[in-house]
Structure formats: structure tokens, C-alpha cells
Amino acid sequence: MEDIEIIRDFYYDFGGKVDNVRKYIGRPLTLSEKILYAHLYDVNQLKVYKKGADYVNFRPDRVAMQDATAQMALLQFMNAGREKSAVPATVHCDHLIQANVGAKDDIATAIDNNREVYDFLRAVSNKYGIGFWKPGAGIIHQVVLENYAFPGGMMVGTDSHTPNAGGLGMIAIGVGGADAVDVMNGMEWELKMPELIGVRLTGRLTGWTSPKDIILKLAGILTVKGATNSIVEYFGDGTSSLSATGKATVCNMGAEIGATTSIFPFDENIAEYLRRTGREEIAVMAGNAASHLQADAEVIATPSKYYDRIIEIDLSSLEPYINGPFTPDAAVPISEFAAKVIENDYPCKMEAGLIGSCTNSSYQDLSRAASVVRQAIDDNIPIAAALIVNPGSEQIRYTAERDGLIADFEKAKAVIMANACGPCIGQWKRHIDSNEDNTRRNSIVTSFNRNFAKRADGNPNTHAFVASPELTVALTIAGDLRFNPLTDKLKTATGKEIMLKEPHGEVFPPQGFDVKDNGYVASGTTVEEVSIDPCSERLQLLQPFPPADDNSLQNMILLIKVAGKCTTDHISMAGAWLRFRGHLENISDNMLMGAVNAFNGKTNSVHNRFTGNYEPVSAVAKQYKARLLSSIVVAEENYGEGSSREHAAMEPRFLNVKVILAKSFARIHETNLKKQGMLALTFADKNDYGKIEEYDYISVDITDFKQGKPLTVTLCHANGTTESFPVNHSYNELQIQWFRAGSALNKNFFTL
């Protein structure tokens, strides 16, 4: 499965490239800089790139796609006219499996319900030389870690948690499908040179504290946008105390602070993980290049000279954290959490604990969580809440079953779901009292990464908190958010009070990993025809978007002025809508249905200029489009936070929204908007957001649209008055060409 020749070639050249870059730049290098500069698309373009400003063309080593985003990515790739992917690429079927009654039945149901999509993805993969991982094989990021990630490499993936591979010292970046298409076509992949945040780790984790607590604490420090356009690079003696999968957990959830990616230096723990997962040769090659797979000694000695910001975390004094609800950066140490629950009147009863996901589903995670469950069973402590387990891969699940870990969970009446994302992305058919509606206030704790309102179960009043697997299990046993396993006791069935012991587990299975069928299907030698039924509700061939028309940005109708947080979940919900990820027209029916209208405080309710009524956002946009009228969306901070799903950019584009004007953007979403020919603008003065009125017509003058030059927005209010203000953009000259052509795909492959 490994593309070993490509990796051999990489390591053969890597050291020389790093030495050349260091000599050219004339100073020591961070690890991130070594890998970034070693992956320049054209070595002749070597220069000192300005961080946070200069756009750079890179040549990633591989691409990974999950099934929900792969549909749109591959529909775009099919339009590019290429016979094979230029780089190794894989598709992973992990998003479309609903967590309902258990793995066996849920996978069978998914295969039946999604047969058309799976057949399409497998046929396209076979035709274009792309590896295919079947439903149930595992979650994309765990599978990539086990099979494809390698120290010093660079990859892009159509999922925001692609940085999981940073646990093996790889620059791995979440992107939209159009970016993946560029890489698979062998073209330049463009990225703004990231700034660098250095996180020095000292000490060693003990007791109930886990690697998850590092990133939970960091999220509280940096917030959900504090690392935007930055790489978080970990260094210091504390890094060597973390397992490779623990490092991956930290990197995975770096997406929740807006980081471009996160990375750890190569060490013996990473080498051991490579050996244990059957990649001995890569471990040897990486070991020989070890000095190039960490920051230079001078950087470690005086990090403030080389990183744009330094954060110190002492692992020895780090507490377990619980983050939430409704945002992953609401970080609280366990010692303060009970008081927060009481102060904020959160529902104290903890109703469900969910462990696994792409963030925490390693063997070490499951074994530590199982040790807590095992004590509860052995000591006859009643388990108060429901427990759900999502293993990360079939290799993990099979090995855990062989070693008795699955049996431990089942003794606690846990439901073992498929090796898939499930509840983490809203694919959870939650079993609640049939007499209750789905708006009841309640609390759950997960070892996942995100906890936006409605994300797990569709209930806006589910208070979801994020913690480590072992802490999640402890709270599940207690059934009370106020429980602190470090200080509090639980009662056995006979009334005896005891404390839970500290969790313990194995980094690697003592008998080694094992699996009978890992779910991988290599691309075949026979080229399949890829056909799509024109009447399909699930799949639809893409048509090029029309080129830009300067006049279409005059007198645009304000479709919605969004108040507060607007993530990609708000723009294009997951859950039941995942079934339409390959059909742009049908999925556009969910556009911005979760966004709050600033003028009435409601979701999916905007004023229709023609009927005078308040109607669903997509329905109003369709009516404007039918009349050939353009519209605009106005929003607040970090617009497009969350998933990499480019549907959140393609749906407004499809429904004739021309401009998104926000206080700020999340990195991936801003790029997705640019790729799809949208105009992404930010307020020069954020107070101008308050000038936008409900019945405004809005114009943007793009006659002099140039890199680095602000544009002007003019508002025409209902009372006939007008006012103008400047707005900023981050487009370079190539991105302006994408806009003029109607999309990057148009610019690169179509003549319109």
C-alpha cells in the first residue's frame, strides 16, 4: 500500500534540500520551514517568503479524501481531463455510516442506502488510480496514520482534521476539493506562507492527564481563530514523552484553533509506531534523516528568534480539561469545572459518553478508557449513562476485540459502532424517549473534536463537552458533570464509597496489531466507465460556473446578515444532508439554514423582497436567482469555521450569491470561496457591520480589482440614502484570475 519508491526518493533528496535552504536563507530553520521549503513546486522559486503575506506554490506528496467530500472533489477532477492522479491518492468511506444500533447492522444499512455513491467513488477511484477504503475500514485520519503518513512529508486532505498526520512529523493540511484536484492534476498548490507558533512542552503527563488535555488547554489560550494562517510546531523535552498517536490527537484538534496544521519533531516514539505498523524501512530512512526532521538546535535554544509566538505548557502540572459547551475553545480544568456547571446552570445529568472518533481512537486511547470501565465492573459501580464507542479503524477494532478491550466495553453495556465518524459529524441516530422532542436541554461528553450546537444529534440544546476518552468514561460512570475522578468518590451497588483508579493502558498491543480484512481495495488494471444517472438524487455532474460580470455586483440584494458564530455546519449542515454531498442542486436546499438572521434572531428565516414574507434562506435565494438577481451575505468573525466542506462555498455560488462580506474568515473556507469564483471581503473597519440594514441593496466596485488594493462597498438604504466604506481582500493576481474566470477550475481547464 505504501508508495515506497516515492518515499525513498523523498528521503534521498530531503537532507540536501534542507541544507540548501538553510544556506540560502542564512539562518537556522524550524521543522516546519524545512518541510515547507523542501516541497516547493519549483526549486528555482526558492526565496525568503514573508510569513503571513506571500503566497507560495507547493508540491504535496499525496492526497486523502473522505467520502462526503470526495464526491465533489472527484466530480471536479473528472472535468480536468486527466487519465490518472499525478500523486498517490485515496478515498475513505467513513462519513456516510449512521451510528444507530451497532457496527454490523449500521454498515449493512449504509452500504444499502449509499450503494450508488459508493459504486461511484469506487469506479472513479479504479479509473484514475486512486486507492479505495471500503465502508467500515476506518476513519480517514486513523487509516492515514497507520498506512501513509511519514516524517517530513506533505499531504493535503479534503477534511479539516487532516493535520492528524502531524503526529508522525508530516505537514498535513485540510483543504477543499478544488485544492485536492490541483494536486491530483500535478499542478501547483498554493498556500499563504504560514506564521509559526511554537509550543514548548516540558515535563511529563501523569495520572488522569492525557495528550488530549494539551490541545484542550491550548484551545483556551488561542481560541477558535487564534492560530489562523499559522502552523503550530511543538518542541521541547516534553514531546518525547508522548506516543505517536498521542501526538496525532494534539495535531488533529489543532483544526479547532484555526491552525493551518500542527507538527511534532521525529523521535523514537514515531519510529516505533512506524515499525509496529509494518513500515520498518520508513523508520530507518527517517532515523537516518533525524537531524533534518526537527528544528535546528539554535531554534530550540532561542525559540523567540524564530517563532512568531511562544507558548509554554508544563505537562507535569497540566490538569485534565473539559471544553464546552457549544464551542471547542471554552476550556476549563477539571478542578474548576463543577463550579462552572453550577454557575451556568448546565444540565448536571450526564446522559451519554461517546469515545473514539478520528481524534481519540488509538489502541492506547481505548486501552486507557477500558481500564476505567474494567474497574467499574470489577468493583460493581453502576454505570449511569449510555456509552458509545467508535473505533478508529478495522485494525484497531480487530486488535482491541482480540485483546478483550471490546468485551470490557460491552460489559458496561456500551454500543460498539462502526469504524466511522458517526456522532462526531452528526451521523448519530440518538435513541431518546419517543415522547420527547429534539430540543430538550441535556448534557453529553465526547472525546471528539467539535461541539457546535446541533452537531452531534441535531438538538440545539444538547450541551456537548469535549474531554479525553478516559475522563469521558469516568463521567459516564458517574452520570454527573460535576464529578471529578481526581477528588470525588463513587458508590458501589452495595453503598461502599471508592475512588476510581488512575487510568492505565498500553501504547501498543502486547501481541502486535492484527486484522483479517482491513478494507482496502487497490485500483485495478481494468478501466471502468463512470456513469451518473441524470435522474439521480444523490449525484449530479458539475457544470462550469459563469465568468464574473462586473455589473452583477451592483445593487445586490442582502440575502442575510448573520449574527454570531457561523461555521460550515451553519452554512451547509451535515447529518441527514450528507446524502446530497454529490448533488450540488439538492444540497443547496440547506444553504445557511443554521445561520441566525441578525434582524429577527431566527434561523432559516430571511425577508423575501418580492413576497414580503420571511422564508427559508435557500428558497429566497432561488427566487432571486430565477430573476437573474445577485445577492450578498454579510457575517461576523471567523466565518466558515469548522469543516473543510467546500459545499459551504459552492452552494451560495450555485444560488447566485456573489459576495461574502465578513469581519474575518476561517482559512480553509476563504480559500474555498476563492476557488469557486466567489468574492470574499472583510470590513476594513469592523464597526461598518452595524451600518448594514435589512432592506439594503449593496454594490461592490471591482473595476480596479488588484492585489493589495482595497475595494469600496456602497449601501443603498430603503430610505434612499447611500453610504460607502472600504473593504479589504486577500486575493493575489492568480486568485483574481480565478474570480474573473468564474472559478479556479474554469481558469485551469475550461475556455468559456
Side-chain angles (χ1 to χ4, degrees):
M1 252 179 287
E2 282 290 358
D3 304 284
I4 192 65
E5 289 299 329
I6 294 174
I7 297 175
R8 286 173 184 152
D9 290 343
F10 166 80
Y11 283 119
Y12 180 80
D13 293 333
F14 183 57
K17 287 183 177 179
V18 171
D19 289 339
N20 186 49
V21 171
R22 188 187 296 108
K23 181 179 179 181
Y24 181 89
I25 294 179
R27 62 166 175 80
L29 300 173
T30 65
L31 172 59
S32 300
E33 289 172 325
K34 293 178 182 181
I35 300 174
L36 289 171
Y37 277 98
H39 284 86
L40 290 177
Y41 188 82
D42 182 351
V43 294
N44 295 318
Q45 293 178 346
L46 177 59
K47 67 174 188 177
V48 180
Y49 289 98
K50 186 177 179 181
K51 292 180 291 184
D54 288 345
Y55 285 92
V56 189
N57 292 326
F58 293 106
R59 190 188 297 272
D61 300 302
R62 69 176 308 115
V63 171
M65 297 166 280
Q66 41 93 338
D67 51 355
T69 52
Q71 295 171 64
M72 200 59 71
L74 294 178
L75 285 166
Q76 293 175 84
F77 182 68
M78 289 166 60
N79 282 337
R82 191 178 179 92
E83 291 186 0
K84 298 289 181 182
S85 173
V87 300
T90 49
V91 169
H92 304 257
C93 296
D94 63 358
H95 271 55
L96 299 179
I97 303 171
Q98 185 181 51
N100 183 9
V101 296
K104 183 178 180 181
D105 290 342
D106 291 350
I107 291 174
T109 299
I111 290 173
D112 185 49
N113 291 344
N114 303 307
R115 190 175 306 278
E116 179 185 13
V117 171
Y118 291 148
D119 287 350
F120 166 76
L121 293 174
R122 185 164 177 171
V124 175
S125 297
N126 185 64
K127 180 174 182 176
Y128 294 105
I130 298 168
F132 181 79
W133 290 81
K134 297 185 294 186
I139 304 173
I140 176 173
H141 310 303
Q142 180 66 27
V143 173
V144 165
L145 199 74
E146 293 173 358
N147 295 276
Y148 301 119
F150 65 94
M154 173 186 269
M155 69 174 287
V156 297
T158 61
D159 189 280
S160 56
H161 293 97
T162 299
N164 190 79
L168 288 190
M170 191 176 202
I171 291 284
I173 301 175
V175 299
D179 281 317
V181 168
D182 284 349
V183 178
M184 289 192 292
N185 274 294
M187 297 173 57
E188 303 96 330
W189 177 63
E190 183 187 71
L191 178 74
K192 184 180 289 186
M193 182 60 83
E195 295 186 337
L196 299 176
I197 298 174
V199 179
R200 190 206 309 265
L201 301 181
T202 57
R204 189 180 187 89
L205 297 172
T206 58
W208 281 90
T209 311
S210 77
K212 182 66 162 276
D213 299 305
I214 299 171
I215 186 60
L216 292 178
K217 177 181 177 67
L218 190 62
I221 295 171
L222 288 174
T223 77
V224 291
K225 65 173 186 174
T228 301
N229 292 321
S230 299
I231 292 178
V232 178
E233 182 173 317
Y234 294 86
F235 67 98
D237 295 341
T239 62
S240 62
S241 69
L242 303 176
S243 67
T245 53
K247 293 176 171 74
T249 291
V250 176
C251 292
N252 177 295
M253 202 175 157
E256 273 56 68
I257 55 177
T260 299
T261 193
S262 302
I263 192 168
F264 277 85
F266 176 78
D267 62 15
E268 178 54 30
N269 290 328
I270 293 175
E272 181 67 7
Y273 184 81
L274 289 167
R275 290 191 290 268
R276 295 289 189 122
T277 52
R279 293 173 283 176
E280 293 85 355
E281 183 178 355
I282 297 175
V284 171
M285 291 187 288
N288 292 335
S291 64
H292 302 301
L293 294 170
Q294 54 189 307
D296 286 339
E298 297 90 338
V299 174
I300 303 303
T302 55
S304 60
K305 292 175 60 177
Y306 304 98
Y307 296 105
D308 300 290
R309 179 176 178 179
I310 302 293
I311 296 172
E312 307 267 355
I313 297 179
D314 176 14
L315 303 183
S316 299
S317 62
L318 183 65
E319 280 190 68
Y321 269 72
I322 305 180
N323 288 25
F326 307 130
T327 184
D329 59 351
V332 183
I334 186 67
S335 61
E336 301 173 15
F337 188 68
K340 179 181 177 180
V341 171
I342 297 169
E343 178 184 353
N344 292 280
D345 192 30
Y346 298 148
C348 293
K349 181 182 178 183
M350 199 280 232
E351 298 190 12
L354 301 95
I355 65 171
S357 85
C358 66
T359 316
N360 281 106
S361 56
S362 67
Y363 188 88
Q364 183 181 25
D365 288 326
L366 294 185
S367 63
R368 280 174 63 88
S371 74
V372 181
V373 169
R374 198 176 304 123
Q375 184 193 348
I377 299 300
D378 292 346
D379 290 343
N380 200 18
I381 302 172
I383 298 174
L387 181 61
I388 293 173
V389 181
N390 279 83
S393 69
E394 177 58 14
Q395 177 171 270
I396 292 293
R397 188 212 62 79
Y398 185 92
T399 305
E401 182 177 56
R402 180 202 66 190
D403 294 352
L405 303 183
I406 299 297
D408 289 332
F409 291 124
E410 290 176 334
K411 289 175 184 176
K413 298 183 179 179
V415 179
I416 311 301
M417 297 296 185
N419 312 316
C421 300
C424 188
I425 58 160
Q427 285 283 60
W428 182 22
K429 188 173 183 179
R430 187 175 180 184
H431 296 276
I432 57 175
D433 190 318
S434 59
N435 294 322
E436 297 176 354
D437 64 23
N438 200 31
T439 60
R440 178 179 58 84
R441 295 178 79 246
N442 73 102
S443 293
I444 65 173
V445 180
T446 81
S447 69
F448 304 160
N449 39 53
R450 293 196 177 122
N451 56 349
F452 304 143
K454 297 187 179 182
R455 184 171 177 90
D457 61 1
N459 182 350
N461 293 314
T462 291
H463 292 56
F465 299 89
V466 181
S468 67
E470 46 267 61
L471 189 55
T472 298
V473 167
L475 289 164
T476 302
I477 295 168
D480 191 329
L481 283 184
R482 297 165 295 183
F483 176 69
N484 180 355
L486 284 71
T487 58
D488 300 341
K489 295 181 178 180
L490 293 171
K491 286 187 177 181
T492 68
T494 59
K496 181 181 178 182
E497 289 190 341
I498 61 173
M499 290 187 67
L500 291 175
K501 299 174 184 176
E502 294 177 351
H504 62 87
E506 302 287 344
V507 174
F508 298 106
Q511 302 176 58
F513 290 107
D514 196 9
V515 66
K516 296 303 181 186
D517 177 8
N518 66 4
Y520 178 70
V521 180
S523 58
T525 55
T526 302
V527 176
E528 295 184 41
E529 286 301 316
V530 180
S531 60
I532 294 176
D533 183 351
C535 298
S536 172
E537 293 185 348
R538 301 289 302 272
L539 297 166
Q540 181 185 53
L541 289 172
L542 292 175
Q543 298 299 319
F545 291 127
D549 175 2
D550 290 12
N551 293 328
S552 69
L553 273 66
Q554 298 299 306
N555 296 312
M556 295 175 289
I557 301 173
L558 175 64
L559 180 63
I560 183 173
K561 179 179 177 180
V562 180
K565 185 185 285 284
C566 193
T567 71
T568 50
D569 277 15
H570 295 85
I571 305 166
S572 176
M573 287 188 177
W577 289 95
L578 285 170
R579 62 183 279 103
F580 298 123
R581 285 286 181 87
H583 198 294
L584 182 55
E585 183 175 0
N586 284 348
I587 199 169
S588 293
D589 285 342
N590 78 1
M591 186 187 74
L592 285 159
M593 66 186 303
V596 176
N597 184 347
F599 298 112
N600 62 11
K602 297 180 179 180
T603 58
N604 210 24
S605 174
V606 297
H607 184 263
N608 185 328
R609 301 293 173 91
F610 296 100
T611 67
N613 299 323
Y614 283 87
E615 301 171 14
V617 184
S618 63
V620 174
K622 285 181 178 180
Q623 293 176 59
Y624 295 163
K625 179 182 178 180
R627 291 173 166 84
L628 304 180
L629 298 172
S630 302
S631 59
I632 178 173
V633 171
V634 175
E636 297 202 65
E637 298 281 6
N638 210 29
Y639 182 82
E641 170 192 345
S643 168
S644 69
R645 68 190 70 152
E646 64 185 339
H647 302 77
M650 296 182 79
E651 291 174 36
R653 183 74 173 94
F654 178 76
L655 292 179
N656 221 30
V657 177
K658 300 294 187 181
V659 179
I660 309 293
L661 172 58
K663 293 182 180 179
S664 64
F665 288 99
R667 176 192 63 84
I668 299 177
H669 189 65
E670 183 179 25
T671 300
N672 286 344
L673 290 169
K674 293 178 178 180
K675 286 279 186 175
Q676 299 304 332
M678 293 280 284
L679 192 58
L681 304 175
T682 55
F683 292 97
D685 180 353
K686 294 179 181 181
N687 292 321
D688 288 337
Y689 169 88
K691 296 178 180 178
I692 309 252
E693 299 176 2
E694 187 167 19
Y695 307 117
D696 282 351
Y697 286 87
I698 304 175
S699 300
V700 181
D701 183 0
I702 57 169
T703 55
D704 195 24
F705 187 15
K706 294 180 180 178
Q707 181 175 347
K709 185 173 183 178
L711 299 174
T712 299
V713 163
T714 299
L715 308 178
C716 181
H717 299 306
N719 62 7
T721 62
T722 63
E723 59 182 316
S724 299
F725 52 81
V727 291
N728 297 326
H729 67 85
S730 61
Y731 288 72
N732 60 25
E733 293 304 324
L734 176 60
Q735 294 167 350
I736 292 172
Q737 292 178 39
W738 297 345
F739 172 77
R740 294 291 188 190
S743 72
L745 201 63
N746 287 357
K747 170 66 172 61
N748 295 332
F749 302 110
F750 297 129
T751 302
L752 299 176

